Amino acid sequence: MTAVPARRHEGLYFAIRNGKLLAGLVVLVPLIILAAAGPMLVEGDPNAYVGIPASAPSAEHWFGTTMFGQDIFAQFLYGMRVTFVVGLLGGGLAAIIGMVIGFTAGYRGGLVDEVLNMLTNIVLVLPALAVLLIVNAYLGIRSVGVQALFIGLTSWPWAARAIRAQTFSLRSRDFVDLARLSGVRTWKIIAREIAPNMSSYLFMTFILLFGGSILIAASLDFIGLGPSQGVSLGLMLNNAARWSALHLGMWWWFVPPGAGITAIVGALYVTNVGLDEVFNPKLREL
């Protein structure tokens, strides 16, 4: 009974001493708070025309205004929230699909493994950008939810492969054999015996999928394939590029969203590296 608390205290001991993990959290946590509470600090529509067009940062408009007099700071706050929502939904969906397929293929093996591996390979080589172009052309649906759904349905193959490999190595362990001989159902063995032994790995996989979803969403927004309504960091970059902010010297239009995306993805990566060092005894720094 004391083994679990002891492991928790050990993990906490190394976590608060890991520089990479702390550095990532120092950047990530304030950004999450800003995304959650930031839009409450600004009033009205972030796309409203509230100032002098193309004005530099000032006390009235901290990040300046766009070519049309829109407040860039307000757009940045709303864009941060949308960016995190897309990353959470897209990365969460990809993680769920990857876990279901990875656990099932790794535990069942045989024909089930071959079929699921074939499905994984098909999705892996699927030209995602071409599919999205077709979806936009024929369906005309461009929303945050559809974007997150598309990202989740196309981002899971590598996670499924990694989870399958881990499950394959755990399914022959004694505690799994004992549960199987006791008549425990397959899904209960996976949920109670295999998944808990991979909890740290699954959490780090989700972080990578989270960051990857944010990058994909920003890329789609930048090339004009993102949601047609609302505000996001990628859409801010798209508008800045469309209206030649770089050529006009309006650095305050494209630097904040670019720095925001870089900070989020970079902090997630550094946090993931730090967690790997905390969870893996071979990588720990005493």
Side-chain angles (χ1 to χ4, degrees), residues 152-214:
L153 292 176
T154 57
S155 302
W156 57 266
W158 72 265
R161 281 187 167 185
I163 294 171
R164 171 191 172 275
Q166 294 288 331
T167 305
F168 191 80
S169 66
L170 287 173
R171 71 174 186 174
S172 58
R173 299 290 180 87
D174 293 339
F175 60 90
V176 175
D177 290 336
L178 180 61
R180 190 183 299 113
L181 292 174
S182 301
V184 180
R185 294 183 178 180
T186 298
W187 67 270
K188 287 187 177 181
I189 295 176
I190 293 175
R192 297 178 180 178
E193 305 295 339
I194 296 178
N197 284 279
M198 296 171 52
S199 57
S200 59
Y201 184 81
L202 296 176
F203 182 64
M204 291 188 293
T205 299
F206 168 71
I207 291 178
L208 291 177
L209 290 170
F210 187 13
S213 298
I214 290 175

Side-chain angles (χ1 to χ4, degrees), residues 90-250:
L93 178 60
I96 291 173
I97 297 174
M99 280 187 252
V100 170
I101 292 181
F103 281 134
T104 304
Y107 182 80
R108 296 296 296 271
L111 181 61
V112 174
D113 184 28
E114 293 181 6
V115 172
L116 292 178
N117 264 331
M118 181 179 66
L119 175 63
T120 301
N121 292 332
I122 291 174
V123 178
L124 193 62
V125 300
L126 194 69
L129 183 59
V131 173
L132 185 60
L133 287 170
I134 296 173
V135 171
N136 280 334
Y138 287 93
L139 298 182
I141 301 175
R142 296 170 61 182
S143 64
V144 172
V146 172
Q147 186 183 58
L149 178 64
F150 172 81
I151 293 173
L153 292 176
T154 57
S155 302
W156 57 266
W158 72 265
R161 281 187 167 185
I163 294 171
R164 171 191 172 275
Q166 294 288 331
T167 305
F168 191 80
S169 66
L170 287 173
R171 71 174 186 174
S172 58
R173 299 290 180 87
D174 293 339
F175 60 90
V176 175
D177 290 336
L178 180 61
R180 190 183 299 113
L181 292 174
S182 301
V184 180
R185 294 183 178 180
T186 298
W187 67 270
K188 287 187 177 181
I189 295 176
I190 293 175
R192 297 178 180 178
E193 305 295 339
I194 296 178
N197 284 279
M198 296 171 52
S199 57
S200 59
Y201 184 81
L202 296 176
F203 182 64
M204 291 188 293
T205 299
F206 168 71
I207 291 178
L208 291 177
L209 290 170
F210 187 13
S213 298
I214 290 175
L215 276 181
I216 295 172
S219 301
L220 295 175
D221 291 344
F222 181 71
I223 62 179
L225 295 178
S228 54
Q229 301 294 330
V231 182
S232 69
L233 298 183
L235 188 58
M236 291 176 66
L237 289 174
N238 174 271
N239 290 330
R242 184 190 305 176
W243 297 103
S244 304
L246 179 62
H247 298 290
L248 295 174
M250 298 175 61

Side-chain angles (χ1 to χ4, degrees), residues 52-99:
I52 301 174
S55 62
S58 62
E60 185 177 2
H61 303 288
W62 291 359
F63 287 1
T65 60
T66 68
M67 180 73 70
F68 308 100
Q70 299 159 312
D71 188 85
I72 296 177
F73 181 66
Q75 291 187 343
F76 179 79
L77 293 179
Y78 277 88
M80 287 276 291
R81 172 178 288 184
V82 172
T83 297
F84 275 111
V85 168
V86 172
L88 181 62
L89 295 178
L93 178 60
I96 291 173
I97 297 174
M99 280 187 252

